Amino acid sequence: MTPENAPGNRWSDLDRPPLNTTALRRALLRPGGLWTSLEVVPATGSTNSDLVRATPRGEGAVLIAEEQTAGRGRLDRVWTAPPRSGIFLSVVLRPGPGVPVERWGWLPLLAGVAAATGLSRAAGVDMSLKWPNDLLVKVNGEERKTGGILAERAGDDAVVVGIGVNVTLRADELPVPAAGSLVLANAVSTDRDPLVRAVLRSLEQWYGRWREAGGDPGASGIQEAYAAGCATLGRTVRAELPGGRAVTGEALALDGDGRLVLGLADGERRAISAGDIVHLRPGG
Ligand code: BTN
């Protein structure tokens, strides 16, 4: 008996069942499809680190962990969650010479759109994006971060895209009070197998469209889809920039490079390419 399902522990295996590797492989690995291998490991440090270390790996390798002991987020942050309480997965993508490398920066944004659309459908929650790639849900009317994307270059020609989603975390298990989970957002389903399938199918579709369009964010529709699902646009925000500076303005648009265009009080338009955004006023 593991500590998780020992008597007295509030979560048993029945509440947080393991993923079904065989069923996931059957559903997702098909000839001609993007996903070429799928592994579920009981625990690892970080699925992103494992795949970055393992390159060259073929495009379409999927690694899912039931638990991460050294999960990583953007800007050198940690990503923590109890075993089997969420989705912790990474994939290898190799956009190839058909997509100019300057456009690869769209991959984390594309993964955010794919995860948000897949999860909204499969979990029955309204999920939105906070620029650049936080996945938000509403818990008691308040926006809460429930997932995120970490994309990292692996060698010259590969990108490892990691997706983390809080699925069954209770309020007292959240890493920070401003976080959320699908169960706290009253998801109709928190069964992780269909949620993983929905995320990976949606990612396969969006990535296929984007790659066919040579990575063009307009022609592939990804720029429009991102803007449609983005809770940041139209809001007054504070952008906390790398290096400690901050700037406040209205989030006006997403430009062709995936940058957030802010309208500042003095009329200047400034495009932000990295940083943390704080939504200063509630959204609609
Ligand atoms: C963020 O919001 O800052 C990004 C979080 C990304 C977490 C996922 S979980 C799977 C993959 N492995 C990691 O170590 N990180 C990503």
Short mmCIF file of all heavy atoms in Angstrom, two decimals, residues 82 102 118 123 132 137 154 158 165 174 230:
data_model
loop_
_atom_site.label_atom_id
_atom_site.label_comp_id
_atom_site.label_asym_id
_atom_site.label_seq_id
_atom_site.Cartn_x
_atom_site.Cartn_y
_atom_site.Cartn_z
N PRO A 82 0.36 17.16 -6.36
CA PRO A 82 0.37 15.80 -5.81
C PRO A 82 0.29 14.75 -6.94
O PRO A 82 -0.20 15.04 -8.04
CB PRO A 82 -0.90 15.75 -4.96
CG PRO A 82 -1.28 17.18 -4.71
CD PRO A 82 -0.81 17.94 -5.90
N GLU A 102 12.18 31.76 -36.91
CA GLU A 102 11.61 32.95 -36.23
C GLU A 102 10.14 32.70 -35.85
O GLU A 102 9.59 33.43 -35.02
CB GLU A 102 11.60 34.21 -37.10
CG GLU A 102 12.79 34.56 -37.93
CD GLU A 102 12.90 33.74 -39.18
OE1 GLU A 102 12.24 34.03 -40.19
OE2 GLU A 102 13.71 32.78 -39.13
N GLY A 118 -9.10 22.03 -26.17
CA GLY A 118 -9.33 20.60 -25.87
C GLY A 118 -9.95 20.42 -24.50
O GLY A 118 -10.91 19.67 -24.33
N ALA A 123 -13.66 18.85 -20.53
CA ALA A 123 -13.96 18.99 -19.10
C ALA A 123 -15.24 19.80 -18.88
O ALA A 123 -15.74 19.87 -17.76
CB ALA A 123 -12.80 19.65 -18.37
N PRO A 132 1.60 35.01 -21.65
CA PRO A 132 1.63 34.32 -22.93
C PRO A 132 0.95 32.95 -22.92
O PRO A 132 0.31 32.60 -23.88
CB PRO A 132 3.13 34.17 -23.19
CG PRO A 132 3.77 34.14 -21.84
CD PRO A 132 2.92 34.99 -20.95
N VAL A 137 -9.09 29.33 -15.41
CA VAL A 137 -10.51 28.97 -15.26
C VAL A 137 -11.09 29.91 -14.21
O VAL A 137 -10.35 30.57 -13.50
CB VAL A 137 -10.71 27.51 -14.76
CG1 VAL A 137 -10.30 26.51 -15.82
CG2 VAL A 137 -9.98 27.27 -13.44
N ALA A 154 15.50 22.05 -27.91
CA ALA A 154 16.32 20.87 -27.65
C ALA A 154 17.17 20.65 -28.89
O ALA A 154 16.66 20.19 -29.91
CB ALA A 154 15.44 19.67 -27.37
N ALA A 158 14.70 20.84 -32.62
CA ALA A 158 13.54 20.31 -31.88
C ALA A 158 13.11 21.29 -30.79
O ALA A 158 13.90 22.07 -30.27
CB ALA A 158 13.87 18.96 -31.26
N VAL A 165 -1.42 20.72 -16.06
CA VAL A 165 -2.80 21.14 -15.76
C VAL A 165 -3.21 20.57 -14.40
O VAL A 165 -3.05 19.38 -14.14
CB VAL A 165 -3.80 20.61 -16.84
CG1 VAL A 165 -5.21 21.13 -16.55
CG2 VAL A 165 -3.37 20.97 -18.24
N LEU A 174 -3.56 23.59 -3.36
CA LEU A 174 -3.07 24.49 -4.40
C LEU A 174 -1.69 25.03 -4.03
O LEU A 174 -1.45 25.36 -2.87
CB LEU A 174 -4.04 25.65 -4.61
CG LEU A 174 -5.44 25.26 -5.07
CD1 LEU A 174 -6.37 26.47 -5.04
CD2 LEU A 174 -5.39 24.66 -6.48
N CYS A 230 -8.11 34.73 -25.54
CA CYS A 230 -7.18 35.40 -24.63
C CYS A 230 -7.91 36.38 -23.71
O CYS A 230 -8.50 37.36 -24.18
CB CYS A 230 -6.10 36.13 -25.43
SG CYS A 230 -4.92 36.97 -24.38
#
